[in-house]
Structure formats: structure tokens, C-alpha cells
């Protein structure tokens, strides 16, 4: 013991979001040895982000420098390509078309980096530390500003031929539907995400005459939490918005089942915090649209993982490779 | 040589279709050592089929009994579940709800059986002997009476949690659309299959006034070959039917890309024999509906495999496991 005691091996995990970046030190068994959150500054420069990141990592490690050994870095980031290590055309960032995130951070710390898009990392997080520990075939959906997804087949993340598998946010609900940031129309994420349900609320406010607290809130001020709260209080517009969102999401997920025959879907992200108000219509409409052979076999869960523990996904990317 | 020469190891391969059953003896390298075709009798009894099969297998093996050693049996059959070894609710068969095909044939010949649904077997056939030899991520679509599919990820057939992955015939084109044999409405196979294009032709004959040779043919007499022939001759209705079919198929395949990021689709089966008349609108509408990251990256091929060589798929199921 004492001077001879071995250092604790950890992964430096980073979850880079459009608004916040979360960093943390995670042991192989998922124990979190400290975490921090800071503003990503996605509308500013990439070098500015890297400077902030360095400071935050220094603060994170300051107290336990002598006790830990960082074995590698795990990164989850929007539109990150696991093959190239780059963020490719991230629509909500002003860091350039192609951001060499993996290379930059690897040479900064002289450590190996494993990277995946944020939703793919979340899927591996559920597989290694979360509710999918005993599953081999499942799909994670992150319902936040957009809709991200990660697909696991035979206990392994599906990366695809170009490292870009699992973009369920961009399956088509209606080719003549809502304009999507990606340039297409009617993509699933324009309906089934926090932004999507906001759009649905505003459509309903225009269409219906029902009284609603939501009539006093601007588009910019409206959040997913407000819609959830009002739905729980019985607001007709909010409830109908969840019903429509759940219906579209559930019926599209039936197509995903016809591809993959998964045992479960795991919903995470802001919109999933609404609980049964969302889950009810999703499950009902999924079942209704399933091909006979799948009926009654696919489960839909809400992930209990807290948003502040989003670093578990990127950490799992590394630890899964070192099993 | 002579008495000491080693017997040739072959797989007894069976492709059981709604109309015809094809059987053959296939070496590991794909060499076919004889094949036969006979009527399946799917509207008669299962024991009757088994009796016919026994006779046909005896005839197939008669001449080379002393030269070959059958190491195992590979079977491709509609709605076959690779986990249970049963055909489950095959809509075009009157053999019962659950047909114990694997067990029956295995005990008949005292040989191990590997089984998969026919389109999944076709996908493994393309992987082992066909045009996907150098691919790791692709999807095979069999466009026949229905639409079957087999998905390969990381060089392995995706079976799913219940052995039923890859039912792209039942993704939804229009939840209020054409009635499907499966009980749902608007499934892809009600549009993109030989039956689907027949339905489209009849819709167009009703809707439009253009002259067409197809006006003289009954629904029952109309075949995919006739529609292809007439399209090649410039028949307006036939051409428009292919345009609509290709458009719906191409745009739905964009959803499949958003799931799997495959390098290619391989189209086979009766409808694929139409060639460029089908391929053109499929490719155009696939590209048009692709999420930006995938554009220009996904290929669509027509399989050159002859229908009489459909036994290569079931044979590949066995040989792939014995690599």
C-alpha cells in the first residue's frame, strides 16, 4: 500500500453537445471519479473550444492527479464519424464543415482517442453500463434538439460502410413535410424531438381554438419541459402534441423493427423525461403498425440515465474495446 | 486414385418457393454438381411435399451416389425462422401455421440442417458466391411475388432478436394504402414486387386514357415479364408503372440507408430482370431522398444470379458456417 499503491485507471470521457460539454473520469466498472460541465461555445471558434477544454480538464484532474492514470480518451460528438475521427457537417456548430476533433485532442494529450457520434456513444453506454447490459439487439433514440440514434446488433454497435449508420432522425415521415436542417423535408426529427414537438404545438395553436397556457409563450421561449409540465396538468394542446409526436414516432419505429427485429428501443434525451405521456402513444402506435411476426415482442423503455451522466457513453466506447 | 479417391463433399441445398422448389448439390467453392426443379405443391399438404422431395433428392443423387458425401442440408424457405427452424405463418402456403421444416428434413436424412428465410439465404449467397464477395455491409432485396430482404452487417447476416430481421417488404409506404396479405395496409411489397407493379398497372389503366397492350390482359394473366416487355417496347402505362414502382422503392430505401449506411443494395427476383427501366427510377429517387452524409455513396446493383441457381443461397448458409 502507500507509495506502492497502484494508480486507478480511468478514461477521460467527453460528451460534446450543441450547448454544453460534459467531461469526466470514468473507471472500467462505470464509477465516475469526478465530472464537469461547461458551455461548448458551438457558435464561436473550434480553437476557442479547445482552450476551454484544456482548462476544464486541468481543473477536473487537479485534485487526483497522483491517484489516477488516464488510459485513453472517449468522445461523443454530434455528426462524429467513427472512421475519420471528424465531426462532419454538424448543422448546429460554427466550427467548420469538417472538424478534426479526434486528431486535435489526441495530439493535445498524447493519448489514444475513441470517438463516435453522441447517440452511438449513448447506445454503447446503455450496453456497457445501462439498461441494455443483457441485450444483444436494441436501438437507442436520443430525443433532444434533434433525434439521434445508435443501433446495436449482436452486441455490437452498427457503424455502417462509412461510419454513419444510425441516423434515424432522417428517415422520412412525409416527403412533403416540415423543412429539416439537413436540407430534406419531413424527416422524423422535425416531428419527434424537442424541436419537433414545439413545431407541433405551434401548428395546434394555429389549428385549434382550445384555451392553453402555451398561448402565452413565444416560440423561442417554449421548451420541452414546459410542454411536458403543461401536459401533466391536463393542457389539451400539450397533450395532443404528445399524442401526435408519439403516434409518428411509434409508427416509424415499426419500420425499424422490420429492418432489425430488435428486442427493445431505449428512449433518452429531454423529450423522454415526459414519461408515460410520450411512452403511451409510442407503444400503442408501434404495436399497431408491426408486421404480425413482431407483435408483442418489442419493448420500449425510457432510459433512467441522467443527462449529467452522458459521459458514460463516451467512456464505454473505450472500455468496451479493452474488455 | 480409383478406390482410394476421396469423395467430393457437397451440401444438399433446397430453395423452397411458393411455386417451385429447387434442389441441388453444391461444393464449398460453389460448384453445382447437379440440380432439379419440381412443383412445391404449396396449396396441398406438407407430408405430400416431403414425399415428393424424397423422390427428387433420390433422383438428384442417383448418378453420383458413390462420388459424393453430403455433409449437411441448407434450406431457404419463405417465413423460415432461423432460430426455431420452422416456417411461421407463410401466407402463400397451406401447410399449416407453423411448419416444422428443419426438424422433418433433418430426421429424414439424419443430417444437420441450416435454415433461413429465402431472402436471407439469398443475401448469404451473394456474400459467399455472388457479387457481394468483397462487401461487408449490404442489403439484398428479392422482388418476386412479394418483397423479401436480407441484411448483412460487418460481413454477417442480421438475424435479430427473434430470428426475423429483414422484413423490408413490410415497411410502410402509406398506412392508408393497399391491403397487404400480412393484414397491414400500404406495405412496401404491395407496391414494389411483381404483384405490386401489377396492381399499379391496373390502377393506371383505370386512371389514364392512354392506349396500351396491357388493356387486353386480365389481372390473372398479367405477369411481370409482360409488363417488362411492354415497357421495353415503349408502352406508356408499363413505363409509368415502372417509374412509380422505382420511385416508391428508391425513396423507401433511403430510410434503410439511414439505419444501416450500407455500401450497396442488390436487387434480385423477377422484377429485377427488367433492368434499367427499374434501376433508373430507383437510383434517382434513392439519391434524392438521402441524408447529405450518404449521398453518392450507396450503389444499387441488379443481381446476375439466375433463378435456377437460387440453391447457392441455402448452400452458402452451410458453407459459411464451415469456413
Amino acid at each position: 500500500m502507500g507509495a506502492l499503491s497502484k494508480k486507478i485507471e480511468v478514461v477521460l470521457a467527453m460528451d460534446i453537445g450543441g450547448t454544453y460539454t460534459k467531461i469526466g473520469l470514468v473507471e472500467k466498472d462505470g464509477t465516475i471519479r469526478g465530472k464537469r460541465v461547461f458551455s461548448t461555445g458551438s457558435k464561436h471558434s473550434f480553437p476557442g473550444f479547445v482552450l476551454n477544454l484544456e482548462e476544464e480538464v486541468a481543473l477536473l484532474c487537479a485534485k487526483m492527479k497522483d491517484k489516477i492514470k488516464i488510459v485513453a480518451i472517449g468522445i461523443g460528438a454530434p455528426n462524429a464519424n467513427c472512421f475519420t475521427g471528424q465531426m462532419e457537417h454538424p448543422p448546429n456548430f460554427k466550427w467548420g464543415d469538417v472538424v478534426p476533433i479526434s486528431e486535435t485532442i489526441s495530439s493535445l494529450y498524447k493519448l489514444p482517442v475513441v470517438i463516435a457520434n453522441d447517440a452511438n456513444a449513448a447506445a454503447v453506454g446503455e450496453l456497457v453500463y445501462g439498461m441494455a447490459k443483457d441485450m444483444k439487439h436494441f436501438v437507442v433514440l436520443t430525443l433532444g434538439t434533434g433525434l439521434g440514434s445508435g443501433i446495436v446488433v449482436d452486441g455490437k454497435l452498427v457503424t455502417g460502410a462509412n461510419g454513419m449508420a444510425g441516423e434515424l432522425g432522417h428517415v422520412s415521415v412525409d416527403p412533403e413535410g416540415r423543412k429539416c436542417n439537413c436540407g430534406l423535408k419531413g424527416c422524423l426529427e422535425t416531428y419527434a424531438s424537442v424541436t419537433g414537438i414545439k413545431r407541433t404545438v405551434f401548428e395546434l395553436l394555429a389549428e385549434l381554438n382550445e384555451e392553453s397556457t402555451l398561448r402565452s409563450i413565444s416560440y423561442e421561449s417554449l421548451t420541452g419541459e414546459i410542454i411536458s409540465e403543461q401536459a401533466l396538468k391536463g393542457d389539451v394542446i400539450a397533450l395532443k402534441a404528445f399524442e401526435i409526436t408519439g403516434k409518428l414516432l411509434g409508427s416509424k419505429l415499426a419500420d425499424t423493427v422490420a429492418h432489425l427485429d430488435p428486442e427493445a428501443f431505449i428512449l433518452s434525451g429531454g423529450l423522454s423525461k415526459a414519461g408515460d405521456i410520450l411512452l403511451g402513444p409510442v407503444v400503442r402506435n408501434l404495436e399497431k403498425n408491426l408486421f404480425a411476426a413482431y407483435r408483442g415482442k418489442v419493448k420500449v423503455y425510457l432510459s433512467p440515465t441522467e443527462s449529467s451522466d452522458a459521459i458514460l457513453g463516451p467512456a464505454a466506447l473505450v472500455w468496451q474495446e479493452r474488455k
Side-chain angles (χ1 to χ4, degrees), chain A:
Chain A
M1 301 294 281
L4 282 173
S5 68
K6 242 178 108 181
K7 287 189 175 183
I8 300 163
E9 294 198 331
V10 294
V11 162
L12 172 56
M14 306 176 177
D15 177 73
I16 301 172
T19 311
Y20 296 110
T21 291
K22 292 151 195 163
I23 59 172
L25 300 166
V26 183
E27 286 184 65
K28 191 170 188 171
D29 66 1
T31 307
I32 297 174
R33 292 276 172 178
K35 54 186 178 183
R36 294 185 67 85
V37 180
F38 61 98
S39 285
T40 301
S42 53
K43 307 296 184 217
H44 305 293
S45 79
F46 179 58
F49 165 77
V50 177
L51 280 177
N52 277 349
L53 178 70
E54 266 193 278
E55 275 175 37
E56 292 287 337
V57 168
L59 290 167
L60 175 72
C61 299
K63 281 188 213 157
M64 46 186 114
K65 221 180 282 175
D66 303 330
K67 290 184 212 139
I68 57 161
K69 186 191 164 202
I70 298 175
V71 295
I73 297 171
I75 304 175
N79 300 78
N81 181 318
C82 60
F83 293 171
T84 65
Q86 299 166 335
M87 289 165 70
E88 298 181 358
H89 306 277
N92 301 310
F93 284 70
K94 306 232 184 243
W95 292 358
D97 276 354
V98 170
V99 186
I101 185 100
S102 186
E103 198 191 327
T104 307
I105 293 177
S106 178
S107 52
L108 194 63
Y109 293 103
K110 311 275 179 278
L111 280 169
V113 166
V114 185
I115 190 167
N117 93 44
D118 42 358
N120 282 4
V124 179
E126 295 291 354
L127 182 67
V128 176
Y129 303 122
M131 58 191 308
K133 268 182 210 164
D134 298 321
M135 295 185 201
K136 288 202 158 292
H137 303 266
F138 64 95
V139 179
V140 168
L141 300 176
T142 58
L143 307 169
T145 308
L147 187 162
S149 65
I151 296 171
V152 171
V153 164
D154 271 335
K156 234 186 116 210
L157 181 71
V158 177
T159 55
N162 309 293
M164 294 296 286
E167 287 287 353
L168 297 193
H170 302 280
V171 298
S172 176
V173 167
D174 174 6
E176 297 305 318
R178 295 176 182 172
K179 206 174 164 184
C180 183
N181 278 336
C182 79
L184 295 171
K185 276 183 181 177
C187 292
L188 182 59
E189 77 171 19
T190 68
Y191 300 91
S193 64
V194 172
T195 316
I197 199 168
K198 272 178 66 171
R199 294 170 86 159
T200 301
V201 163
F202 273 71
E203 222 171 69
L204 291 171
L205 289 173
E207 200 180 302
L208 304 177
N209 287 321
E210 267 79 0
E211 278 184 30
S212 165
T213 328
L214 302 177
R215 293 204 184 273
S216 67
I217 302 171
S218 75
Y219 188 89
E220 276 180 1
S221 306
L222 187 61
T223 63
E225 289 79 33
I226 297 176
I227 306 172
S228 297
E229 276 166 26
Q230 292 309 313
L232 285 168
K233 285 184 188 164
D235 185 283
V236 179
I237 299 286
L239 279 169
K240 204 170 166 71
F242 270 105
E243 188 65 35
I244 291 171
T245 305
K247 181 178 176 176
L248 289 171
L249 182 56
S251 55
K252 281 310 286 188
L253 292 186
D255 279 5
T256 299
V257 177
H259 283 79
L260 300 163
D261 182 16
E263 49 200 294
F265 290 100
I266 301 174
L267 311 184
S268 67
L271 197 62
S272 74
K273 304 303 172 206
D276 288 340
I277 312 173
L278 178 70
L279 199 57
V282 169
V283 172
R284 263 200 318 280
N285 287 284
L286 170 60
E287 274 302 315
K288 196 174 141 186
N289 288 281
L290 281 180
F291 179 57
Y294 306 122
R295 267 172 227 153
K297 292 182 183 165
V298 193
K299 299 191 177 55
V300 186
Y301 299 108
L302 301 173
S303 170
T305 307
E306 288 299 320
S307 134
S308 65
D309 289 342
I311 45 168
L312 286 173
L317 291 176
V318 176
W319 286 124
Q320 198 203 28
E321 288 194 355
R322 295 176 168 240
K323 264 194 296 202

